Amino acid sequence: MENNLNIPCQVCAVTSTKGEITPLWCRYQTEQGELIKVQIDEVKIAGAASGTGNRFFECTSYGEEQKQVFLLAMDMPSLKWRIMRRLV
């Protein structure tokens, strides 16, 4: 993945009884049509949560090849997810 991204993705997440969202994995399609699934091992809330804007999550994945850290965003009105940026 490049550093600055804006990739639409599918996310599997769970919510607590308090409404806290925790992404478990995300899946996106490359330009070549390949589906890539990324297991999320650690999640940190990135920035303050706003009721009507985006929610940001700093996600860490420890894959077979290397550690990946990326910023995942959820658009609250549409509930659409995007991989915004690669951090490591």
Side-chain angles (χ1 to χ4, degrees), residues 2-88:
E2 299 174 13
N3 285 342
N4 288 321
L5 310 166
N6 192 12
I7 301 171
C9 63
Q10 180 181 29
V11 173
C12 178
V14 295
T15 57
S16 72
T17 56
K18 297 178 183 179
E20 299 161 335
I21 301 166
T22 303
L24 301 176
W25 57 260
C26 66
R27 182 168 56 186
Y28 65 95
Q29 191 169 17
T30 66
E31 291 179 0
Q32 294 77 27
E34 181 183 6
L35 281 176
I36 305 293
K37 182 178 176 183
V38 180
Q39 185 71 33
I40 298 171
D41 298 304
E42 296 174 8
V43 178
K44 295 179 190 173
I45 302 295
S50 64
T52 59
N54 287 328
R55 288 230 175 133
F56 295 97
F57 303 87
E58 182 180 310
C59 301
T60 303
S61 173
Y62 298 101
E64 295 176 16
E65 298 177 19
Q66 64 183 359
K67 173 182 170 181
Q68 294 183 54
V69 181
F70 55 95
L71 190 65
L72 192 60
M74 183 179 83
D75 179 65
M76 294 301 290
S78 68
L79 301 178
K80 292 181 181 180
W81 291 83
R82 299 184 89 67
I83 301 172
M84 299 303 293
R85 188 177 319 134
R86 183 176 176 171
L87 303 173
V88 175

